[in-house]
Structures are given as structure tokens and as C-alpha cells.
Amino acid sequence: MILLCTLLLLFILGCYVFAVVTYLLYWYEHQSRIESLFDSRENALRAVHRGIFSAFKAQIFVFSMYFGGTIVQRWKNRNSPPLAATEYPIIMVHGLFHNCSAWFLYRRWFKKYGLTNCATFTYSSRKAFDVVSAELTSYLETVLEQEPAIRPVLIGHSLGGLLLRDWLARSEYADRVAGVITLGAPMQGSKLATFAATSLGRQLDFKGQVIQQIEKQEQAHAAHNVPCYMFYSPVDNMVLPQNSVATPLKNWLAIKTRPVSHLAMLFDKTIANQVAETTKTIFKK
């Protein structure tokens, strides 16, 4: 019992330390222009304090849900297509070091909007970016080929959003989707990628090879007509610098959320409601 309590205490302490360290790095990165991101330095400090608290809570929740999500993935078919074209089909793509449990609360909150027809694409964070990208392409194109009437909305968090951007840039099926929504996607990479535990994470370095590859694909292909929205938090503690997650891409609309941490975007009901309302707007077009 004492060992269990000690491990639990160390886990909670580790989550808090991680939150504080990432926000110290956030502050160091933006200190010279912090007032340009917020109305005042005082507002910036309040937002960062809120971010630390939200990061602490989100990490505890993520680790608690992760193991349950792993069991579900192995028990059920990992990736299943949406149920029917008439039921607002949605495909969700999680971020690095995550699984289908990332969308547990979103799927619950989406129900009040009638958005119950949700599928998840999952992947291993131990694979290279090109491999995961190819798996996503295969999955999406199989769904679109098998169900020609389906026009899904694609929603991706973090790396999941970057994967969707990459898919849009090179797939002949891009115009077959109703829209794309990303949450905290590192559109220009992140300076924290160098500390990632896997090669996939390290491939996401700021303006690195993966980002350059995606940009070349976007330049080489004709612009798509897909409505695209990128939601970002002004205190994202995992995507540094802020302009990587906040600067609108061509033909994308950037939407600023309330200040929460990178992971907390998945567990914030206000943000989930914004995403659900945007999703319904896309389906009505």
C-alpha cells in the first residue's frame, strides 16, 4: 500500500513538474514579445497560470485513459469507417503518444449536437512520419472508395492535424471530404521536438524536413476547395513558437480558443462545443 501511494505521489508530482517546465520554456521563447500575444503582461501571466493548471489536470486524465484506450483498440477493430453517409460522418485522428481514448470526451459532448457517427484512426508513435502518413492515406481512401456518398469531416489533434494537412496536400481524394478541423496542430513543427522520445516526434522539428516536404507538396498541387479550420490555444505549451500553431495557412481559418494547454484542448468542453458547432456548419454547406 505504501509503495502504491508513493508511486501515485511520484506520478502526480511528475505531471506537475512537466507542466511547469514546459511553461517555463513557453515563457522563455516568447518573453520578448509576450505583450503582442496578450493585452498586457498581467493577462499573459494569468493565462500561463491557467495553462499550467490545465496541463497538470490533462496529463493525469490522459494517462488514466490511455491504458483503457489501448485495451479497446486491441479488443475492437482499430480503425472502423463511419456508419452512414447520412449521419454526419466524422473521422478523428489523435496526436503523438496517444490513442482512441483521446476523443472519449469529444464523442460524448458531440452527442448533443447529433454528431454520433464518429470513427477514429489510430497509429503507432514508434513509426516514421511517412509510414504513418501512408497508413492514414490508405485508411481514408479505402473509406471513400467503399462509401462513395460519404463526405466526412476530418478532425485531428496535434500531429493528427499535421497528418491531415499532409494528406490534403497530396491526395486525389481531398475534395471528397466536407472539411478539416485541427486542434493545436504544429503546422510549422515545434522546437520541443528535439526532446521527443521517438524518432517520429523528433521529425517534427520547427521548419524541419517534414514541414518542408509538406510545403513543397502544397506548392506542387492545385489548391483544394475544402473548408479548413485550425483551432489554437494562445498558451500551447508543446508547440513552440506560438506562430507555428497560430499563423493561418493559405485557405485555412485560424480560430483562437481560450487559454488552455496543448493536451487540455481535448478535455475542454467550451472548445469541444466550438469544434462541434464548426463541424455542423461545415455539414450544412
Side-chain angles (χ1 to χ4, degrees):
M1 187 66 180
I2 295 177
L3 177 61
L4 182 62
C5 291
T6 302
L7 291 174
L8 180 61
L9 181 61
L10 288 174
F11 166 68
I12 293 173
L13 180 61
C15 289
Y16 179 74
V17 170
F18 183 83
V20 171
V21 169
T22 54
Y23 273 102
L24 286 174
L25 292 171
Y26 170 91
W27 191 268
Y28 178 78
E29 174 67 30
H30 301 105
Q31 61 178 331
S32 62
R33 55 191 179 90
I34 196 71
E35 292 182 8
S36 66
L37 300 176
F38 300 89
D39 296 333
S40 66
R41 197 174 186 85
E42 290 72 24
N43 287 339
L45 283 169
R46 279 194 291 269
V48 167
H49 289 157
R50 190 178 303 164
I52 292 173
F53 184 58
S54 69
F56 173 63
K57 292 191 300 180
Q59 286 172 114
I60 292 176
F61 189 82
V62 163
F63 281 107
S64 301
M65 294 296 298
Y66 183 86
F67 298 103
T70 301
I71 294 171
V72 169
Q73 283 180 197
R74 293 185 177 181
W75 180 52
K76 295 183 177 181
N77 184 21
R78 282 184 58 181
N79 303 313
S80 57
L83 302 177
T86 57
E87 298 180 47
Y88 301 131
I90 298 170
I91 298 175
M92 298 170 159
V93 186
H94 62 78
L96 191 67
F97 306 127
H98 221 157
N99 57 28
C100 63
S101 65
W103 304 107
F104 175 76
L105 291 179
Y106 266 61
R107 296 180 74 161
R108 290 192 61 185
W109 291 329
F110 274 21
K111 288 180 180 179
K112 77 172 186 178
Y113 293 90
L115 302 174
T116 59
N117 186 25
C118 301
T120 56
F121 170 79
T122 62
Y123 58 89
S124 169
S125 296
R126 295 186 296 274
K127 298 179 179 179
F129 183 89
D130 288 345
V131 175
V132 177
S133 178
E135 290 178 353
L136 175 62
T137 296
S138 176
Y139 169 71
L140 291 177
E141 294 185 357
T142 298
V143 170
L144 295 172
E145 287 173 356
Q146 292 178 347
E147 300 288 347
I150 277 183
R151 287 181 58 82
V153 168
L154 311 180
I155 302 177
H157 173 251
S158 191
L159 173 57
L162 186 63
L163 285 165
L164 292 178
R165 177 192 174 190
D166 175 62
W167 181 80
L168 280 178
R170 56 186 174 73
S171 176
E172 297 177 358
Y173 290 77
D175 289 327
R176 289 277 308 279
V177 301
V180 173
I181 298 173
T182 66
L183 304 166
M187 295 303 192
Q188 298 297 324
S190 174
K191 291 183 178 181
L192 294 185
T194 188
F195 301 110
T198 65
S199 59
L200 175 57
R202 292 189 292 273
Q203 283 185 281
L204 306 180
D205 54 319
F206 183 60
K207 294 186 177 181
Q209 186 175 350
V210 166
I211 303 303
Q212 293 173 26
Q213 176 181 314
I214 296 174
E215 291 176 342
K216 286 180 181 178
Q217 291 170 345
E218 290 172 334
Q219 293 169 4
H221 292 76
H224 55 74
N225 297 314
V226 179
C228 296
Y229 302 83
M230 44 188 291
F231 285 76
Y232 73 94
S233 166
V235 290
D236 192 309
N237 60 321
M238 297 305 294
V239 183
L240 303 181
Q242 174 74 186
N243 61 291
S244 176
V245 74
T247 302
L249 302 171
K250 184 178 180 180
N251 300 322
W252 287 68
L253 178 64
I255 301 176
K256 182 179 179 180
T257 69
R258 70 197 202 113
V260 297
S261 74
H262 184 74
L263 278 178
M265 295 188 80
L266 291 170
F267 312 113
D268 188 285
K269 192 172 184 179
T270 300
I271 296 175
N273 288 339
Q274 286 180 277
V275 174
E277 289 166 1
T278 302
T279 302
K280 289 296 292 283
T281 299
I282 292 173
F283 278 127
K284 291 177 180 177
K285 290 185 178 180

